[in-house]
Amino acid sequence: MTQTTDTPAAESAGQGQAPRGRRRVHRAWFVAAVTFVTIIGAAAFRSLPGLLIDPLHDEFGWSRGTIAAAVSVNLALYGLTAPFAAALMDRFGIRRVVAVALTVIAIGSGLTVWMTAAWQLMLYWGLLVGLGSGSMALAFAATVTNRWFTERRGLVSGILTAASASGQLIFLPVLSWMVTRYDWRPAAVTVALAALTVVPFVWLLLRDHPADVGLKPYGAKEFVEKPPPVTGAARRAVTVLFKAARTGPFWLLAGTFAICGASTNGLIQTHFVPAAHDHGMPITAAASLLAVIGVFDVVGTIASGWFTDRFEARRLLAVYYALRGISLLFLPMLLAATVHPPMIFFIVFYGLDWVATVPPTLALCREHYGDDSAIVFGWVLASHQIGAAVVAFLGGLARDVFGSYDVVWYASGALCAAAALMALVIRRRPVGVAAV
């Protein structure tokens, strides 16, 4: 992870290497570390929705479908905001966009403490937290990776993707304990404070581009000038969408990632805790199982990044989706009032696969769309969150109608099988052909 930190001045003087004794860890790794901590801090809001369904239902009498609808708005905006956020980062810089996003998350989460009507849940948690979280989405990680690294991109994208799972690991047990021991309101305040705490770190330590500190990107052979601010962020995001939409790989990536979101954020993250509680499992125990998913998600995602640097991305995707689908088909038989070994096996297995799909999906976006890959990935992520939003709503509706979640588990398993086939259909871009 060390690399000479040459400046343009040194290169113009004909010095290809830094003076002896000055070899040190490249600044890109510190930027990646700050990004990792930022995503961890922001991940608190991702841990809360599944814990709110039963408490809000009990306190206000809102149906699970109504509560799930607010979660769906949040998930959809999380994805739909991402491509515009990536373009805004090109216009105003990473630091400004991320700092504002974290502040909006804190405001939205804090205001939920005083809500008394379902429309307020839609506004505060659905709209405000959705918009803020969308600007903190994986497009943020993709932008940092693309700007600061030319080597180890798969590994770095895996590490930054794992940050969200690490945040879940840190916050989920604490938030579930708060909800069970006290109320859901202290948990909402904790989310707001966690988001605000990260803002100073972003503003003081994060840098927008290697050129800001006179460095080459990690692994680059030549110094890269910082591009000028790109005006018309919204127009550029839409233009990139229309250009990418004329290509087959975009629709296949968007389709597979929609199923990814449906089977993770929309299904397990939103409905696993209430589904386990339906079978008599305490909320704290079910939330702890989700946290264990976060532990193995870190391992699986980093390993996936390592694999992506070495193996064909589309084949990796096919394997990941096929294994996920098989595991979901067994879940209805494993839910019980107590935690038993087969459930532990499912949690470990599913955790390793949770967001392992992200590094190969990012790699395919870079392969096919070049400099526009961060924005294209933002649109692909939008499809991920639309899939998550649809299943989050339908899962709550199915629970109201059928009295259980079984049909949702089986349907999601079948969708994962379809995603595996779609991944194999993605064509490789011939070597030497310019990206779209």
Side-chain angles (χ1 to χ4, degrees):
M1 292 187 191
T2 59
Q3 181 173 316
T4 54
T5 54
D6 307 339
T7 64
E11 289 190 4
S12 63
Q15 296 174 339
Q17 303 235 348
R20 185 172 299 175
R22 292 184 59 193
R23 188 175 181 85
R24 59 186 183 273
V25 176
H26 194 282
R27 178 68 175 269
W29 294 104
F30 292 104
V31 172
V34 173
T35 304
F36 185 89
V37 173
T38 301
I39 296 175
I40 285 179
F45 61 83
R46 300 284 305 280
S47 304
L48 195 55
L51 303 177
L52 291 179
I53 293 178
D54 284 337
L56 293 180
H57 173 74
D58 294 338
E59 179 172 339
F60 298 107
W62 301 335
S63 71
R64 291 178 175 83
T66 298
I67 300 168
V71 177
S72 296
V73 172
N74 176 290
L75 291 172
L77 286 176
Y78 177 89
L80 291 171
T81 306
F84 296 97
L88 285 172
M89 289 176 188
D90 289 340
R91 173 67 178 88
F92 297 104
I94 298 173
R95 287 196 303 169
R96 293 178 181 175
V97 173
V98 173
V100 171
L102 288 167
T103 304
V104 171
I105 290 170
I107 292 172
S109 182
L111 287 175
T112 58
V113 172
W114 292 282
M115 69 182 179
T116 57
W119 68 265
Q120 293 171 324
L121 178 64
M122 293 278 191
L123 176 63
Y124 301 151
W125 198 264
L127 180 63
L128 292 180
V129 177
L131 288 173
S133 62
S135 300
M136 284 292 302
L138 292 174
F140 168 42
T143 301
V144 170
T145 304
N146 288 349
R147 291 186 182 184
W148 281 88
F149 293 85
T150 58
E151 293 182 356
R152 303 287 192 271
R153 280 179 168 176
L155 176 63
V156 174
S157 61
I159 292 172
L160 296 183
T161 301
S164 181
S166 301
Q168 176 176 293
L169 166 65
I170 293 169
F171 288 105
L172 191 54
V174 176
L175 295 177
S176 65
W177 175 79
M178 286 183 176
V179 170
T180 303
R181 180 74 180 270
Y182 299 104
D183 188 22
W184 60 269
R185 290 177 177 83
V189 172
T190 300
V191 170
L193 293 177
L196 282 178
T197 300
V198 181
V199 173
F201 290 94
V202 171
W203 194 256
L204 295 175
L205 301 177
L206 195 62
R207 291 295 179 267
D208 292 328
H209 196 278
D212 290 341
V213 288
L215 297 177
K216 299 181 295 187
Y218 180 84
K221 300 193 184 322
E222 298 179 356
F223 183 80
V224 178
E225 295 288 346
K226 182 178 180 179
V230 180
T231 58
R235 183 175 64 253
R236 184 184 175 212
V238 174
T239 300
V240 169
L241 170 63
F242 282 124
K243 185 166 66 171
R246 294 197 296 267
T247 66
F250 173 80
W251 292 107
L252 291 168
L253 289 169
T256 55
F257 226 41
I259 294 172
C260 179
S263 56
T264 53
N265 302 85
L267 183 63
I268 296 294
Q269 187 163 324
T270 304
H271 294 294
F272 178 81
V273 171
H277 191 54
D278 282 347
H279 287 76
M281 185 180 293
I283 290 178
T284 51
S288 297
L289 289 177
L290 272 186
V292 174
I293 285 179
V295 174
F296 289 94
D297 179 24
V298 174
V299 177
T301 307
I302 294 176
S304 178
W306 188 86
F307 289 142
T308 302
D309 286 332
R310 290 160 176 79
F311 302 104
E312 190 176 347
R314 65 191 187 99
R315 296 186 184 277
L316 289 176
L317 284 179
V319 171
Y320 296 157
Y321 285 121
L323 293 176
R324 182 183 301 175
I326 293 171
S327 67
L328 286 173
L329 294 177
F330 283 97
L331 182 57
M333 296 177 282
L334 302 178
L335 290 169
T338 58
V339 179
H340 48 86
M343 174 58 79
I344 295 295
F345 180 80
F346 168 83
I347 292 297
V348 172
F349 188 87
Y350 196 87
L352 291 171
D353 196 285
W354 180 272
V355 285
T357 55
V358 173
T361 301
L362 265 172
L364 288 168
C365 285
R366 280 193 294 265
E367 177 183 331
H368 288 277
Y369 303 105
D371 292 339
D372 291 332
S373 61
I375 297 178
V376 172
F377 180 72
W379 285 113
V380 171
L381 180 63
S383 71
H384 180 282
Q385 294 309 117
I386 291 172
V390 170
V391 171
F393 172 69
L394 291 179
L397 188 63
R399 173 61 178 79
D400 289 334
V401 173
F402 300 109
S404 77
Y405 288 98
D406 288 358
V407 66
V408 187
W409 307 129
Y410 295 133
S412 296
L415 284 174
C416 288
L421 294 175
M422 292 167 64
L424 291 175
V425 175
I426 300 173
R427 294 181 179 179
R428 300 183 64 182
R429 185 171 63 85
V431 178
V433 176
V436 175

